[in-house]
Amino acid sequence: MSEYASDRPRFFVIAVDGPAASGKGTIATGLAKAYKLPVLDTGLLYRCVGVLMKKARGNLDDEAAACAAAALLTADQLDDPALRTRAAGELASRVAVHPRVRNALMEFQRTFARQEGGAVLDGRDIGTVIAPDAPAKLYVTASPKVRAHRRWTQLKAQGERVSQKDVLADIRRRDARDGGRDAAPMKPAPDAVLLDTSEMTIEQAADAARRIVEVARARWNTTS
Ligand code: C5P
């Protein structure tokens, strides 16, 4: 049994994984509010490393340089609105392929997960690598077209001018890179519950996620 699992009684960790614009961020925030837990959007860590590399005119394929940027990252850098842009998403997925970058960001995420009471983390590898013993795991998906429409709407609200076709191409490229990389590829943990939000409103998705977590919580309460 891992060190993490032996800590199980104190931390109710909810792992929310899935591809870009699947609804996992909204779901994670809703669950955090419902269960009064802190929430971490782990994509911001990779976005921040990508943006730092870009600012320093670094080569995104340079693993050592990206790792050095990751080691300098602090929590107060994560509020920067520049991290929410379309470009930052692409930079993030480029640096996220490097195993040393992922390792450099691991402790930050695990420390966040091990807060008294627990935490909600959303990302790509929370249920598989960061918190494999999390008592509640969701893998949130939606069709690429639905995700592209959602992301396009968000970007438009942020003032970015981009076509839905280009956003769909971004999403497909990112899915392929995130799912195809060797280091912690995006995939559901074997014990994750799949939630396809393609046909759901935000409210319906949030309700479905809550029901999944209720079942996990009841199980956790009887076993811890
Ligand atoms: O979730 P978000 O779209 O902000 O993530 C940006 C990128 O960061 C992803 O496409 C992925 O490459 C990377 N990422 C990751 N592991 C995580 C979170 C994000 O590899 N846990």
Side-chain angles (χ1 to χ4, degrees):
M1 189 180 275
S2 73
E3 180 203 342
Y4 191 88
S6 67
D7 288 335
R8 189 175 51 176
R10 290 200 294 135
F11 315 115
F12 185 71
V13 176
I14 306 176
V16 185
D17 288 304
S22 56
K24 66 184 188 312
T26 310
I27 285 175
T29 310
L31 289 171
K33 204 168 161 208
Y35 291 99
K36 297 190 170 55
L37 293 173
V39 60
L40 178 64
D41 171 356
T42 64
L44 288 176
L45 303 175
Y46 294 91
R47 285 171 178 260
C48 195
V49 174
V51 169
L52 287 172
M53 288 291 287
K54 172 93 177 165
K55 278 188 188 153
R57 296 178 192 278
N59 174 0
L60 297 170
D61 298 327
D62 182 344
E63 178 163 16
C67 181
L72 292 176
L73 195 144
T74 55
D76 57 330
Q77 291 171 290
L78 302 180
D79 297 326
D80 186 349
L83 302 185
R84 308 269 174 192
T85 63
R86 175 181 173 216
E90 176 66 15
L91 294 170
S93 119
R94 295 272 308 274
V95 296
V97 301
H98 300 309
R100 286 177 58 199
V101 169
R102 307 197 69 83
N103 273 339
L105 298 176
M106 187 178 287
E107 210 37 53
F108 184 95
Q109 296 172 79
R110 286 195 168 159
T111 302
F112 190 92
R114 289 174 190 181
Q115 294 182 63
E116 189 69 37
V120 184
L121 290 89
D122 81 75
R124 302 292 188 292
D125 62 341
I126 308 303
T128 51
V129 175
I130 301 299
D133 297 312
K137 294 182 188 178
L138 286 88
Y139 192 84
V140 185
T141 59
S143 74
K145 275 199 173 154
V146 167
R147 291 190 283 126
H149 181 72
R150 286 178 188 161
R151 181 48 51 88
W152 175 77
T153 309
Q154 275 170 3
L155 291 171
K156 209 167 66 153
Q158 286 170 206
E160 283 205 51
R161 286 168 63 93
V162 59
S163 71
Q164 284 202 56
K165 192 165 147 267
D166 286 349
V167 177
L168 179 60
D170 285 355
I171 280 193
R172 289 198 197 278
R173 190 172 51 246
R174 242 183 333 133
D175 283 357
R177 195 185 289 129
D178 292 347
R181 69 187 176 217
D182 290 335
M186 170 177 77
K187 65 174 179 195
D191 52 346
V193 179
L194 301 188
L195 177 60
D196 187 333
T197 65
S198 301
E199 310 276 323
M200 294 180 183
T201 62
I202 291 171
E203 291 76 22
Q204 287 169 332
D207 281 354
R210 181 84 187 268
R211 283 195 295 275
I212 292 166
V213 173
E214 278 301 300
V215 172
R217 196 171 172 83
R219 193 173 51 229
W220 183 73
N221 277 333
T222 57
T223 56
S224 63

